[in-house]
Amino acid sequence: MSVHIAFETPEDKQQDVYDLVRDISKDPDGRLKKGSNEVTKAAERGVAKMVIMAEDVNPGELLAHIPMICNEKEIPFIYVANQAELGKQIWGLETGRSCASVAIMEHGNNLDSQFKGIKEVCTELSSA
């Protein structure tokens, strides 16, 4: 397990996370920050609603600080296995672009239950 991974996310929940990212990126009310620098800034400022990180980031130290910031700011975070798949789900990114991390800034009301479901999973996994 890489240095930035605090817990493992079950595969079925990872698919739910990918779906949420895809749906938020297509929603006119949705806003995402992409990449470790933007995610770090959003987390440090306490404005991110959730952070998603890819497990296969190399080197893992690239994201090692983000879980600590999220814990300090009480921002839920979760992992997905593949940064290429995470990048693929983001509407507007070029085909083949990967994404190491994503911060959810806003989501439309129609995605509220989907967001809350993933947030509950984040809480369960981080406290286990």
Side-chain angles (χ1 to χ4, degrees):
M1 193 173 341
S2 181
V3 67
H4 73 287
I5 301 173
F7 53 83
E8 290 189 31
T9 306
E11 284 186 37
D12 61 325
K13 300 302 179 190
Q14 288 184 39
Q15 187 56 53
D16 293 343
V17 174
Y18 288 131
D19 292 345
L20 177 64
V21 169
R22 182 195 64 231
D23 294 345
I24 287 175
S25 69
K26 289 181 179 180
D27 188 320
D29 295 326
R31 270 187 350 134
L32 301 171
K33 294 284 185 179
K34 304 170 281 283
S36 60
N37 288 339
E38 292 297 317
V39 170
T40 299
K41 287 183 224 176
E44 285 176 337
R45 293 174 183 153
V47 295
K49 292 186 177 181
M50 181 185 297
V51 171
I52 300 155
M53 294 171 278
E55 292 177 349
D56 65 344
V57 172
N58 189 10
E61 289 80 10
L62 181 69
L63 302 179
H65 61 285
I66 295 176
M68 291 182 279
I69 295 168
C70 288
N71 285 331
E72 179 182 320
K73 301 288 185 174
E74 298 180 354
I75 298 168
F77 63 94
I78 197 162
Y79 302 95
V80 293
N82 190 285
Q83 62 182 334
E85 184 64 27
L86 185 57
K88 181 179 165 185
Q89 298 306 320
I90 299 171
W91 187 258
L93 276 188
E94 298 172 24
T95 304
R97 289 276 314 260
S98 61
C99 188
S101 58
V102 172
I104 297 174
M105 306 300 288
E106 297 292 333
H107 61 83
N109 289 338
N110 58 327
L111 299 174
D112 199 47
S113 64
Q114 190 178 356
F115 177 83
K116 286 179 181 176
I118 298 297
K119 187 175 176 180
E120 285 178 22
V121 171
C122 294
T123 303
E124 290 171 16
L125 293 172
S126 65
S127 64

